[in-house]
Amino acid sequence: MSKENSKKFVTKETFLMALKESFIKLNPKYMIKSSVMFVVEIGFFVTFILSLFPNIFGNNPGNLRGYNVIVTIILLITVLFANFAEAVAEGRGKAQANSMKKTRKDTKAKLILEDGSLSIISSSEVKKGDIVLVEMGDMIPNDGVIVSGMASVDESAITGESAPVMKEAGGDFSSVTGGTTVVSDWLKVEITATPGESFLDKMISLVEGAKRQKTPNEIALTTLLVSLTIIFLVVIATLYPIANYSKVTIAVSTLVALLVCLIPTTIGGLLSAIGVAGMDRVTRFNVIAMSGKAVEACGDVDTMILDKTGTITFGNRMASDFISVKMHSKEDIIKYAVISSLKDDTPEGRSVIELSNKMEVEINKEEYMDLDFIEFTAQTRMSGVNLKDGTTIRKGAAESVKTFVKNLGGEIPEDIDEIVNSVSKVGGTPLVVSVGNEIYGVIYLKDTVKPGLPERFQRLREMGIKTIMCTGDNPLTAETIAREAGVDEFIPECKPEDKIDIIKKEQAKGKIVAMTGDGTNDAPALAQADVGIAMNSGTMAAKEAANMVDLDSDPTKILEVVEIGKQLLITRGSLTTFSIANDVAKYFAIIPAMFTVAIPEMKVLNVMNLTSSTTAILSALIFNAIVIPALIPIAMKGVKYRPMKSEQLLKRNLFIYGLGGIVVPFVGIKIIDLVISSFFM
């Protein structure tokens, strides 16, 4: 599906498919899954029979064939609108699934036999445990782990990103996904999934919604809706004898209309669509949720466990400042630090040049491009360049550079140790720079916190979510990064097993815990967490242990996923509040109109001053039908979420959707009554 179409609320194809599905879903075998809408459909069949045989149930006043037909049509439209809402939500998922299916082609696979020879077979015949050779231009036949080789893999079919990803045997980038393509070199891959059970197959079935299970919250809400439906069934059943006792004759079709208006049809018709749309929003954010429960759990997260490296920080130490010794100026240290970094392609080397540009230090770089570059090695712990006049420029670990300078007969500045220690104390890495046999100063490297994170952590704090940073750094460095990022707590010198202990401790307090990870050593913690998001670039073990997979491999995306989960819960709660509040208004519209003739005193309750009992019932019934499609955009896009405390959120939504749920029907029913009253005068 194109990005342009993915942004549209409903495409033409989705609309037409949803329209067709609305009628297919009228099958009672399907409708019985939604108790509320099933009752509406039964009401439709009852009034349909009454339209053909007005007096089949005995006591029906006058010739009500025309009235029964109108009620029947409105009830049918009500059911169709509810089916349409669900079909639209499912249609968006199916459209995305169809685009994924295009990547699942029955290509040929090069199976490596025991004697080392190759056998060309269909990719659908590849079994778990087989080892296949995938060369440049070949599509990987199924999910697997690289056993040898290194290659660039185009994962755009899965992630939507055009840039290829380097994959190699061993480490955290050894897993590959079926349907992706090798664009350079070759790989030997051990297949880890059976045909039909690959990661792509799971994605397709989940996005289509074919295996979407009801979440605990949905089950609880469904139970509430069933209970309310039963209560109103009892109310309607007792209303008939009460009406007879009061000498008020009520048609069966009117009782059906009253029942449909009083049961929570609005949320009953939108409940499934809200759940499907919630998963769809996560999917469009390039995160695959393994279940609706995972998305819902995001909305209840209390604690978030985050790795420092790659999540909170960039993971590469970047130049932050240049500090000169007393004998030299800052311009001198900047100049020679840049010269030593001109051919240094490491992130640290590039960051030195970027920082000098920000400081507007002018250096003729062309003059130094033909110099002899000395690469960093673990033995020397230094890198640098040799100038044409024989001058050596070096940068590296303090002790290594000091030793190098001493060997050239130079002296060590008195203040260099103080500078090095001051950088180390704040969690930075000092790179000492020397020119010939003199030390000029220090490049201050630090692991930079990603921009915007403090503000995002503040948003989480406003939601009541605690953030905990896990890092292998020493306590001093960890404290510096934690303070700069704005996390609530930090765990220094953290080992993989420590993450599980942290999660268990938080869960023991009744907290819902979320975390991200990509390595095999993260798998146990991802499985233990209530919400575990694995990186698509990570190992197969991590992806199988998690209940969500981020296709973009962006660890910070967990922040947005939590907001989507909260939006799902808020949307469901808001529309439930609106639906139940609707019933209050419809009660005041119908009941007084029905009994005013026999009991004049009830006229005081007819606050809307509706024309007659007939127009009152039809107006309420029409409003009940049209409110469902009117709320489809909210169900699909979700109620706008703003970070705030639960108490404030509850008050806000009660005011908007509770009060609005009462006011809107009063206005809507009155307008409809004025329109249709002319037809019944």
Side-chain angles (χ1 to χ4, degrees):
M1 187 166 54
S2 69
K3 287 186 177 181
E4 183 182 350
N5 281 346
S6 69
K7 292 179 181 178
K8 290 182 180 179
F9 170 58
V10 179
T11 63
K12 181 181 178 181
E13 293 78 10
T14 301
F15 178 83
L16 294 175
M17 185 189 70
L19 205 59
K20 179 181 176 183
E21 285 289 317
S22 300
F23 287 91
I24 295 173
K25 289 176 182 288
L26 288 174
N27 187 332
K29 288 183 179 179
Y30 180 85
M31 292 298 300
I32 200 169
K33 296 177 183 178
S34 173
S35 59
V36 176
M37 299 316 298
F38 183 59
V39 169
V40 179
E41 186 173 45
I42 291 174
F44 158 71
F45 285 122
V46 170
T47 56
F48 178 73
I49 294 171
L50 285 170
S51 299
L52 300 176
F53 311 102
N55 296 310
I56 192 172
F57 294 119
N59 187 22
N60 273 295
N63 183 7
L64 295 176
R65 189 186 301 274
Y67 172 75
N68 293 342
V69 168
I70 294 172
V71 172
T72 301
I73 293 172
I74 296 173
L75 292 181
L76 176 62
I77 292 172
T78 303
V79 178
L80 288 174
F81 279 160
N83 289 347
F84 180 78
E86 184 177 24
V88 166
E90 291 176 348
R92 283 161 63 97
K94 287 177 180 177
Q96 191 165 11
N98 289 336
S99 68
M100 293 179 183
K101 286 178 181 177
K102 293 177 183 177
T103 67
R104 191 176 56 182
K105 301 173 183 175
D106 188 16
T107 55
K108 299 297 180 182
K110 301 170 183 175
L111 177 66
I112 301 177
L113 303 178
E114 292 183 2
D115 60 2
S117 61
L118 296 178
S119 174
I120 308 299
I121 62 173
S122 170
S123 60
S124 60
E125 297 176 23
V126 176
K127 302 185 298 295
K128 186 176 181 179
D130 286 346
I131 296 178
V132 296
L133 174 66
V134 194
E135 298 177 296
M136 186 172 67
D138 292 344
M139 182 176 287
I140 297 170
N142 210 334
D143 297 353
V145 176
I146 301 169
V147 293
S148 66
M150 179 190 298
S152 293
V153 179
D154 179 6
E155 296 186 329
S156 59
I158 305 296
T159 66
E161 295 296 326
S162 57
V165 180
M166 275 311 276
K167 295 283 186 175
E168 60 182 326
D172 292 344
F173 297 93
S174 60
S175 69
V176 288
T177 305
T180 56
T181 306
V182 174
V183 294
S184 74
D185 303 293
W186 58 270
L187 297 170
K188 286 184 180 179
V189 178
E190 180 180 349
I191 302 300
T192 58
T194 55
E197 296 182 3
S198 68
F199 179 60
L200 185 59
D201 289 312
K202 291 176 183 176
M203 285 168 58
I204 291 170
S205 65
L206 287 164
V207 171
E208 283 182 321
K211 295 183 180 179
R212 195 185 78 85
Q213 301 294 318
K214 283 190 175 182
T215 65
N217 188 281
E218 274 185 279
I219 293 171
L221 187 52
T222 301
T223 303
L224 172 64
L225 298 183
V226 170
S227 301
L228 289 173
T229 302
I230 293 172
I231 290 171
F232 283 116
L233 275 170
V234 173
V235 169
I236 298 302
T238 56
L239 191 62
Y240 191 74
I242 292 173
N244 284 339
Y245 178 79
S246 303
K247 297 181 180 180
V248 176
T249 304
I250 302 178
V252 173
S253 53
T254 298
L255 290 174
V256 170
L258 178 60
L259 174 63
V260 169
C261 286
L262 293 185
I263 62 176
T265 50
T266 305
I267 188 61
L270 294 172
L271 182 59
S272 182
I274 293 169
V276 175
M279 289 190 69
D280 178 61
R281 281 196 295 276
V282 173
T283 303
R284 289 171 187 276
F285 204 64
N286 249 12
V287 174
I288 298 298
M290 297 306 180
S291 67
K293 184 178 180 181
V295 181
E296 190 173 284
C298 288
D300 291 324
V301 165
D302 301 296
T303 304
M304 193 177 293
I305 310 293
L306 298 155
D307 274 329
K308 185 206 77 171
T309 306
T311 303
I312 292 175
T313 65
F314 284 104
N316 297 314
R317 296 184 180 272
M318 316 293 277
S320 177
D321 198 5
F322 300 100
I323 307 170
S324 64
V325 296
K326 292 178 181 177
M327 296 174 59
H328 296 283
S329 67
K330 190 165 187 173
E331 287 73 17
D332 289 337
I333 175 68
I334 295 174
K335 174 184 176 181
Y336 289 110
V338 170
I339 294 171
S340 67
S341 303
L342 287 174
K343 292 190 175 182
D344 185 354
D345 289 330
T346 65
E348 292 86 351
R350 291 193 296 270
S351 72
V352 169
I353 297 173
E354 289 172 7
L355 182 61
S356 71
N357 291 335
K358 291 179 182 177
M359 293 183 171
E360 299 180 349
V361 176
E362 295 293 332
I363 296 172
N364 185 4
K365 297 175 184 177
E366 297 296 328
E367 184 181 343
Y368 302 100
M369 293 307 292
D370 296 330
L371 302 179
D372 182 23
F373 177 66
I374 309 300
E375 291 189 7
F376 176 90
T377 65
Q379 290 75 28
T380 63
R381 299 180 67 200
M382 294 185 300
S383 66
V385 295
N386 295 330
L387 300 182
K388 292 179 180 179
D389 61 3
T391 304
T392 58
I393 303 175
R394 296 289 184 270
K395 65 175 181 182
E399 293 304 319
S400 298
V401 175
K402 284 161 67 175
T403 302
F404 181 78
V405 168
K406 285 179 182 178
N407 290 339
L408 293 178
E411 294 185 1
I412 308 302
E414 294 179 358
D415 56 340
I416 190 65
D417 288 337
E418 182 183 344
I419 296 171
V420 168
N421 290 335
S422 65
V423 171
S424 299
K425 283 180 181 178
V426 294
T429 300
L431 286 185
V432 176
V433 177
S434 69
V435 181
N437 62 357
E438 285 188 76
I439 290 177
Y440 274 54
V442 170
I443 303 172
Y444 171 20
L445 299 180
K446 73 171 184 176
D447 200 353
T448 309
V449 172
K450 292 182 178 180
L453 277 187
E455 292 78 13
R456 295 168 84 182
F457 288 139
Q458 178 59 32
R459 273 166 47 201
L460 291 174
R461 200 170 293 113
E462 291 170 0
M463 297 180 208
I465 297 175
K466 179 173 69 175
T467 51
I468 301 176
M469 180 187 77
C470 293
T471 176
D473 290 335
N474 63 65
L476 188 59
T477 302
E479 183 181 4
T480 303
I481 296 294
R483 184 171 57 251
E484 187 176 342
V487 295
D488 298 311
E489 295 180 14
F490 64 92
I491 310 295
E493 299 174 346
C494 185
K495 299 182 288 296
E497 55 268 26
D498 294 334
K499 293 179 183 177
I500 299 178
D501 293 337
I502 296 165
I503 293 170
K504 287 181 177 179
K505 286 178 183 177
E506 290 296 314
Q507 289 173 333
K509 300 175 185 176
K511 306 291 186 182
I512 303 296
V513 182
M515 78 159 287
T516 61
D518 59 2
T520 300
N521 59 356
D522 289 326
L526 287 169
Q528 179 66 40
D530 300 285
V531 178
I533 303 183
M535 303 298 103
N536 189 48
S537 61
T539 61
M540 193 62 67
K543 287 192 274 190
E544 289 178 352
N547 49 24
M548 287 187 176
V549 177
D550 176 21
L551 301 180
D552 296 329
S553 300
D554 177 6
T556 62
K557 197 180 284 186
I558 190 173
L559 306 176
E560 279 81 8
V561 172
V562 166
E563 289 193 348
I564 291 173
K566 285 191 173 293
Q567 186 185 42
L568 170 63
L569 294 177
I570 292 168
T571 301
R572 189 179 291 149
S574 298
L575 293 186
T576 300
T577 303
F578 185 86
S579 178
I580 294 174
N582 266 211
D583 294 338
V584 176
K586 286 180 283 189
Y587 177 88
F588 277 97
I590 298 177
I591 298 296
M594 287 173 56
F595 286 91
T596 299
V597 176
I599 309 174
E601 290 81 2
M602 290 194 71
K603 189 174 182 180
V604 70
L605 295 177
N606 187 14
V607 292
M608 283 187 268
N609 195 27
L610 301 178
T611 307
S612 67
S613 60
T614 301
T615 60
I617 293 166
L618 292 179
S619 298
L621 206 56
I622 291 170
F623 177 85
N624 191 63
I626 63 176
V627 76
I628 294 176
L631 292 175
I632 289 178
I634 296 177
M636 296 294 294
K637 294 181 180 179
V639 174
K640 188 175 181 181
Y641 174 69
R642 296 175 183 172
M644 61 180 69
K645 296 292 183 182
S646 300
E647 298 81 4
Q648 294 175 301
L649 197 59
L650 179 62
K651 290 177 182 177
R652 177 177 176 272
N653 286 342
L654 280 176
F655 177 76
I656 295 175
Y657 292 94
L659 183 60
I662 293 175
V663 173
V664 171
F666 271 94
V667 176
I669 291 171
K670 180 60 180 178
I671 293 172
I672 296 170
D673 177 77
L674 292 173
V675 173
I676 67 172
S677 61
S678 59
F679 296 99
F680 291 89
M681 292 300 290

